[in-house]
Amino acid sequence: MIIQPIRRYYDDLICAGSVLTRFPVGRFANEQTPWDLARSTWCWPLYGAVIGALSAGLFLLLKLCGASSLLAAPWSVLCQIFLTGGLHEDGLADTMDGLGSGKDTATKLTIMRDSRIGSFGALALLLYISIRVTALATLPDRAIFPALAISATLARAAMPILVTFCPAARPDGLAKQLTGLSKDRMLSSLFCAFCLALLLLPYAMAFLACALTLGLVVLMRYQTLRHLNGFTGDILGATVCCVEAATLTLFAMLLT
């Protein structure tokens, strides 16, 4: 009775870690139990917090060794990209190439599946990385850990919200794996992220960061339905990047 729920939580952690990160957790998977990506969404914010904490640790370690904030910031961003395999950055680039093409919906979806990067995608990545590096370089050392941990946490919680309130643009790929996502599972992910925000940030700032995240999800939903009639895996990656850039900007403005 007790072992079965624990096993489900364990399987969820392994599933989420294998999809969202480069952590070698797949070797600990139970081969007899199929993964349920939709069920694992409750722990997506936890992985965001871990990723953010590790990149913050590298930032602070470099500062301890005498590096300036301007030098430590890009290394911290690089660490986070390495930990996720550039999964979300790839989604941002593909999304901007597709949406920026000005073509019809079918052509946009085709462009987004193209592995090559276009001018819109390259510009989006350049601006995204610049915003993150500048924000981190602006923050005081005491704010680096909560800023990185919570920005990554809220970004991972944003994906289940968008999936819940937006149809899938394709019947295959990531959309197929997330068809079983219910509102209860989405709310558990959101609750987890909200609790972490309250734990690491002043209450007013935690509420403000959560409100900003929800506002960005609403905006992404509007643009997704307008251009693609539904979400894709690339859209989810772009959502993560937008939330991280926006929340880091907010923290840089309020925590300095």
Side-chain angles (χ1 to χ4, degrees):
M1 297 293 292
I2 299 178
I3 295 178
Q4 188 173 1
I6 294 177
R7 186 182 296 273
R8 282 203 300 267
Y9 292 142
Y10 174 83
D11 291 337
D12 290 345
L13 288 168
I14 297 298
C15 175
S18 298
V19 174
L20 299 179
T21 75
R22 290 289 187 178
F23 298 153
V25 295
R27 67 183 66 177
F28 304 108
N30 184 0
E31 297 181 357
Q32 298 178 348
T33 305
W35 283 352
D36 188 338
L37 186 60
R39 194 184 67 195
S40 74
T41 51
W42 67 268
C43 64
W44 288 10
L46 297 179
Y47 274 104
V50 171
I51 291 169
L54 290 174
S55 57
L58 178 60
F59 183 101
L60 297 174
L61 178 62
L62 290 172
K63 288 297 297 291
L64 188 63
C65 294
S68 65
S69 294
L70 190 59
L71 179 59
W75 280 104
S76 179
V77 173
L78 179 62
C79 174
Q80 193 161 341
I81 293 175
F82 173 78
L83 292 174
T84 61
L87 176 67
H88 310 302
E89 287 74 16
D90 178 69
L92 174 64
D94 289 342
T95 296
M96 294 309 299
D97 280 335
L99 270 57
S101 66
K103 305 294 183 180
D104 59 273
T105 298
T107 304
K108 289 175 181 176
L109 289 171
T110 300
I111 292 173
M112 290 169 65
R113 270 191 163 163
D114 193 334
S115 60
R116 295 169 295 181
I117 186 172
S119 57
F120 287 107
L123 287 171
L125 285 177
L126 177 62
L127 290 173
Y128 166 69
I129 297 298
S130 299
I131 290 171
R132 292 189 62 189
V133 169
T134 304
L136 289 177
T138 304
L139 284 166
D141 291 350
R142 60 177 172 78
I144 290 296
F145 178 80
L148 279 171
I150 297 306
S151 63
T153 296
L154 293 176
R156 273 68 183 178
M159 290 190 286
I161 304 174
L162 184 60
V163 171
T164 303
F165 295 101
C166 188
R170 300 189 184 102
D172 58 355
L174 189 63
K176 183 178 181 180
Q177 300 181 57
L178 291 172
T179 52
L181 180 59
S182 64
K183 289 186 178 180
D184 289 341
R185 292 170 177 171
M186 178 273 294
L187 289 173
S188 65
S189 172
L190 185 60
F191 179 74
C192 178
F194 182 64
C195 289
L196 287 172
L198 289 177
L199 182 64
L200 296 179
L201 294 172
Y203 291 164
M205 189 170 297
F207 278 100
L208 189 58
C210 290
L212 176 60
T213 299
L214 293 176
L216 288 171
V217 171
V218 172
L219 178 61
M220 288 298 296
R221 180 182 183 275
Y222 169 76
Q223 293 296 335
T224 296
L225 293 176
R226 177 188 174 192
H227 291 279
L228 304 174
N229 299 322
F231 77 91
T232 66
D234 288 329
I235 289 291
L236 297 182
T239 301
V240 169
C241 292
C242 289
V243 172
E244 284 188 329
T247 50
L248 281 176
T249 299
L250 175 69
F251 296 148
M253 294 170 60
L254 299 180
L255 292 176
T256 53

